Amino acid sequence: MNARIRPAAALDPALSAAWEQLQRHYAAHQNSAPFWSAYQAIQDALTHRHPQHRIDVCNRLATLAERLGVVAHAQLLAERRPERVSVDRHAGSTPS
């Protein structure tokens, strides 16, 4: 079962507005360069306003584009996990 994680409540109104904007641009331009320019501008504005939710914003917008039919399948970004560095990782790399 896939669980959907809801973004911070502050994102919901912004994403609703983004959805309306995307619909207008898609109706006017379909899947053309002006639509994608508008998509990029919307994404840039949202990620600047919500830097702590950048990946979620990008994934939600991609999902909205899929919902509009602009793309057949949205490619979502994965959360980056901090790389663990073990203490033994560099053992033996220093000459004796």
Side-chain angles (χ1 to χ4, degrees):
M1 174 186 254
N2 291 334
R4 290 225 148 176
I5 299 173
R6 286 193 39 84
L11 274 179
D12 289 340
L15 287 169
S16 293
W19 172 241
E20 291 173 13
Q21 291 173 348
L22 287 175
Q23 287 179 60
R24 282 195 307 273
H25 287 288
Y26 186 68
H29 307 291
Q30 297 298 301
N31 188 3
S32 66
F35 171 82
W36 289 108
S37 293
Y39 178 96
Q40 189 66 46
I42 293 165
Q43 181 175 306
D44 288 346
L46 283 172
T47 56
H48 279 85
R49 274 184 274 167
H50 303 283
Q52 68 283 11
H53 299 289
R54 291 177 75 87
I55 291 174
D56 191 40
V57 164
C58 292
N59 286 342
R60 296 287 297 271
L61 284 178
T63 302
L64 293 176
E66 180 182 281
R67 188 171 159 194
L68 277 172
V70 180
V71 294
H73 182 70
Q75 293 188 356
L76 304 181
L77 303 171
E79 290 285 340
R80 277 206 257 164
R81 296 186 181 174
E83 186 178 318
R84 288 190 185 198
V85 179
S86 75
V87 176
D88 298 327
R89 181 176 179 181
H90 300 289
S93 63
T94 307
S96 304

